[in-house]
Structure formats: C-alpha cells, structure tokens
Amino acid sequence: MYSSKLFMQRCFELAQKGSGLVAPNPMVGAVLVNEGRIIGEGWHQEFGEAHAEVNCFESVKEEDKELLPTSTLYVSLEPCAHYGKTPPCTLRILQEKIKEVIICNKDPFDAVNGKGIELLQQEGIIIQSGLLKEEGLWLNRRFFCFHQHKRPYIILKWAQTQQGYFAPLDRSRFQMSNHHSQQLVHHWRTQEAAILVGFKTALHDDPQLNARLWQGKQPLRIVFDRTLQLPSTLKMFSDQAPVWVLNELRDDVQESISYVKIDFSENVLQQLFKLLYKANILSLIVEGGAGLLQSFIDEGLWDEARFFETANLLNEGLQAPLLHHAQHYFTNEIFSDKLLFYTQQNPLFPYPSGMPI
Ligand code: AOF
Ligand code: ZN
C-alpha cells in the first residue's frame, strides 16, 4: 500500500525548488501517481512561467501517457481556474482526463479561492483537499499571509551577545556574528521581497543590504528617513538597485531611489504595510536597529524572529530587542554562533516539525 502523505511530501520537495524564484507566486509542486508509481513530476519554476501541474504533465514519458486517465494528480495548491500569465490548470487537468486530484491547500488568491476545486468537482473529478495542510501553509506562509491578512510576512533578524547586547554604546559598526552566519543572512535576503532598516542603522552601519554571499534575487531595500538627513554617499544609495526612502517631505523617483511620503504622526508601520500590499510585496525582513525591531514586537506585527547569539564580549552596549508572547521552535549551532528561531505564541502559521525553515 502506498502512502498519499509521501506523495504530498514529494510535492513540497519539488515546490521548494522554486524558493526565491517564484514570488509573488506561491511555490507549488505536483506529482502524477499510477498504481503507486510516480509517472510525472513538476513544479512552478519561475514567476510568469508554467505552473506545477503543466510541468508535471509535460514530464510524463510517451509510453506512460496512456496511464493518465487512471492516474491520481497530487498538487500542493488548488489548481488555478483563471487565465493569468498562463491558462488555467483546471483546463489542462480536464484535457488529460484525470479522474482524481489530491490537494494540500486551497488557493486564497481572489481569482481562484475555491473556484478551481468547484470546477473540477462539477466535472465529476474526485477531490480530496487538506492533506498535510499545516505543512503546506508553512511552506507558502508568505503567500498565505499576504492574501489572507493583507500584509507581508514579517521576519525580524538581529545578532546579540550572550549578555543581550545588540551593539557597542557608541553605535560603531561591529561585526558580531561569524562569516557562516553572515552567509546565511545573505541567503535569507534572497528569499524575502523587501528588507527594512531604521534611520540610525542606515547612518551608523552604512549597510549595503543586498545579497553578496549568496546568489539570487536582491530584496527591495527600504529605510525610514523622516526629514531626509541620510547622506547620498551611503552604500545603499550608490549601487543603482531600487531603494525606498520613507519620508515626510517628497514623493518622487530619482533613478533607483523612490522617495515615498508618509505621515509620521500616524502609525508608520501600518502605512508601510499598505504600500507593500499595493506593490505586491509578500515578505519583509527587518534588520534593525533595536528600536525599530522592538516596535514591531510591541505592536505584535511579526511572524518570525531569528537571532544570533554570538561569542563576542561586550561589557556594555545597546540592549537587544526583547521578545514577548513568543515561542521558541528551533535552534541551530553555526560554529561559534547560536541561532534561535521564534514565532509568536499563537502564530498565524505554526511551525510543523521537520519542515525546512
Ligand atoms: C497553480 N499551480 O503552480 C501555481 C499557481 O499569473 P499566473 O498565471 O502565473 O497565476 C498566478 C496565480 O496562480 C498565483 O497568484 C496563484 O494564485 C496561482 N499559482 N496555481 O495552479 C501553480 N504557482
Ligand atoms: Zn495553475
């Protein structure tokens, strides 16, 4: 007897290959199974390109094509029913004469949202949905957060000493985490659509905020600069990659820099979320400073906190952010650094053990 969970897990593995390449679309994987044998596999590989189901059908060998009407399609997301950048997957499923489809999550995207399942059911196709649902939600937590809660998925990231210091008192730039941790952070930057820092971090650290130690997409960089005091010589302004400067004075675009006017007497995070929603930005990594990180924590506006505890010794310094209503779910040793992962106590997307982070 074969296990349907195993095939769905295979869909997740395939889906994951699209990590960092498909946003703002979800990562999706599909397998075709005939009497316990996998006869086709596919995943959504790149934004704007074919969907997982289509790639899965295309992978079926000539000699196995006659098996399609007696095969089961496993897919980690409800097949789409709309004409987007590609035709609807439901249409292709009907053309291939598939009789049974097993789905993990329903698609929350307005143009689909149950319509794919409904259409297939109307055509007499047997549907099972919700298999390994929590795992699927975790895999595409950025996509689900954006569509269900109308805000980006928020990851807070920082480094601190074991005594809880975030930086030296004089705010001088001080590399605390080791090279391997830095590389991991660059990998994370390729997985998120945008990266945010506060005014003082931009000024004192002069960070580039890009991914140099890992290959992949560069995140949109965003900085708060209320009265436009940041010098144009900062590294984040000098490499011709897009930056948003949130300020209260101007609203225009100068080459790669977008000056975006917001009202600093109102809740700035909510205004930022609205802007990100409009720009179809699914996820945000916040990299400091401590004050900005703390305001996300205090407003309960975060999904994951990832922080490095480093071996440096500082006898005094700026206090690192303090988490509350948080739940630890994973720890990793990275040579001399310890990396801790937290979600909120009642997270929108709980971490299912065994899933990749
Ligand atoms: C699927 N299979 O592999 C993916 C789906 O612009 P398009 O045509 O690429 O459509 C994007 C939407 O399609 C996306 O927002 C999500 O709702 C769904 N993604 N659906 O059947 C897939 N990636
Ligand atoms: Zn589709």
Side-chain angles (χ1 to χ4, degrees):
M1 204 34 209
Y2 58 86
S3 152
S4 49
K5 281 190 182 165
L6 194 69
F7 295 127
M8 194 54 81
Q9 275 155 354
R10 180 65 185 146
C11 290
F12 296 152
E13 267 175 23
L14 294 165
Q16 192 82 33
K17 292 172 189 260
S19 170
L21 302 169
V22 299
N25 279 352
M27 293 176 260
V28 185
V31 298
L32 270 162
V33 178
N34 191 274
E35 294 185 0
R37 180 167 72 91
I38 293 182
I39 62 164
E41 290 191 337
W43 67 95
H44 186 38
Q45 299 181 358
E46 209 174 331
F47 179 76
E49 302 290 324
H51 285 182
E53 298 90 320
V54 171
N55 287 331
C56 181
F57 286 122
E58 295 295 325
S59 78
V60 177
K61 291 198 187 101
E62 212 40 57
E63 66 261 32
D64 285 334
K65 290 217 164 121
E66 60 178 27
L67 300 174
L68 281 169
T70 55
S71 299
T72 300
L73 175 72
Y74 288 79
V75 57
S76 58
L77 189 78
E78 171 183 8
C80 67
H82 70 295
Y83 283 86
K85 294 198 171 53
T86 64
C89 290
T90 45
L91 197 66
R92 182 68 185 258
I93 292 169
L94 294 176
Q95 280 165 357
E96 301 289 355
K97 304 196 166 39
I98 296 294
K99 311 271 182 341
E100 188 181 17
V101 180
I102 299 184
I103 296 165
C104 174
N105 304 114
K106 260 176 70 173
D107 186 345
F109 179 50
D110 282 343
V112 187
N113 202 2
K115 292 188 196 86
I117 292 180
E118 207 177 302
L119 195 140
L120 292 174
Q121 272 171 341
Q122 278 166 5
E123 297 293 331
I125 291 171
I126 303 168
I127 300 274
Q128 204 195 104
S129 128
L131 180 64
L132 296 180
K133 185 174 162 204
E134 299 260 296
E135 283 78 357
L137 287 175
W138 176 262
L139 177 72
N140 278 311
R141 55 201 187 279
R142 298 161 180 85
F143 177 75
F144 289 110
C145 183
F146 181 85
H147 287 287
Q148 292 171 341
H149 303 281
K150 313 283 180 228
R151 68 150 172 86
Y153 187 82
I154 300 159
I155 297 171
L156 309 180
K157 173 256 147 186
W158 72 89
Q160 63 178 61
T161 67
Q162 277 160 20
Q163 291 73 33
Y165 294 123
F166 184 81
L169 272 184
D170 65 0
R171 296 184 190 276
S172 56
R173 190 185 166 105
F174 180 59
Q175 182 57 45
M176 299 208 297
S177 51
N178 66 41
H179 181 77
H180 305 280
S181 301
Q182 252 181 294
Q183 184 160 37
L184 185 59
V185 169
H186 283 220
H187 184 185
W188 293 346
R189 287 176 177 173
T190 66
Q191 291 174 326
E192 311 312 333
I195 182 168
L196 173 71
V197 292
F199 174 80
K200 287 180 195 155
T201 299
L203 186 66
H204 297 289
D205 282 5
D206 193 9
Q208 294 181 57
L209 303 177
N210 54 16
R212 303 178 297 287
L213 305 171
W214 200 266
Q215 278 200 0
K217 276 193 186 163
Q218 300 291 339
L220 167 70
R221 296 161 307 167
I222 306 173
V223 62
F224 285 109
D225 183 10
R226 185 170 180 167
T227 51
L228 298 173
Q229 302 291 315
L230 290 175
S232 60
T233 49
L234 288 181
K235 292 194 186 101
M236 66 185 292
F237 297 134
S238 36
D239 63 2
Q240 300 302 308
V243 190
W244 283 7
V245 180
L246 304 178
N247 73 95
E248 63 184 11
L249 300 175
R250 56 190 276 200
D251 217 3
D252 61 305
V253 180
Q254 283 286 321
E255 295 180 16
S256 59
I257 306 176
S258 299
Y259 294 93
V260 184
K261 203 164 162 179
I262 61 170
D263 182 353
F264 280 78
S265 65
E266 295 289 330
N267 185 318
V268 291
L269 298 188
Q270 291 300 344
Q271 292 174 75
L272 171 62
F273 292 167
K274 276 204 186 113
L275 291 165
L276 293 175
Y277 188 75
K278 256 172 74 184
N280 220 10
I281 287 176
L282 268 54
S283 63
L284 179 69
I285 184 161
V286 187
E287 292 208 17
L292 183 62
L293 288 161
Q294 195 66 53
S295 58
F296 276 89
I297 296 168
D298 293 343
E299 290 190 41
L301 291 171
W302 63 284
D303 297 290
E304 275 176 61
R306 306 172 175 180
F307 64 92
F308 297 92
E309 254 183 26
T310 69
N312 311 78
L313 278 177
L314 280 178
N315 293 323
E316 51 176 20
L318 293 177
Q319 283 297 326
L322 270 183
L323 286 175
H324 44 83
H325 303 99
Q327 179 182 314
H328 170 261
Y329 74 90
F330 201 75
T331 297
N332 219 347
E333 304 282 338
I334 304 177
F335 296 90
S336 53
D337 295 342
K338 197 167 159 187
L339 169 58
L340 297 113
F341 291 84
Y342 283 79
T343 57
Q344 296 239 28
Q345 215 155 54
N346 294 306
L348 297 175
F349 305 97
Y351 174 67
S353 67
M355 283 300 281
I357 289 162

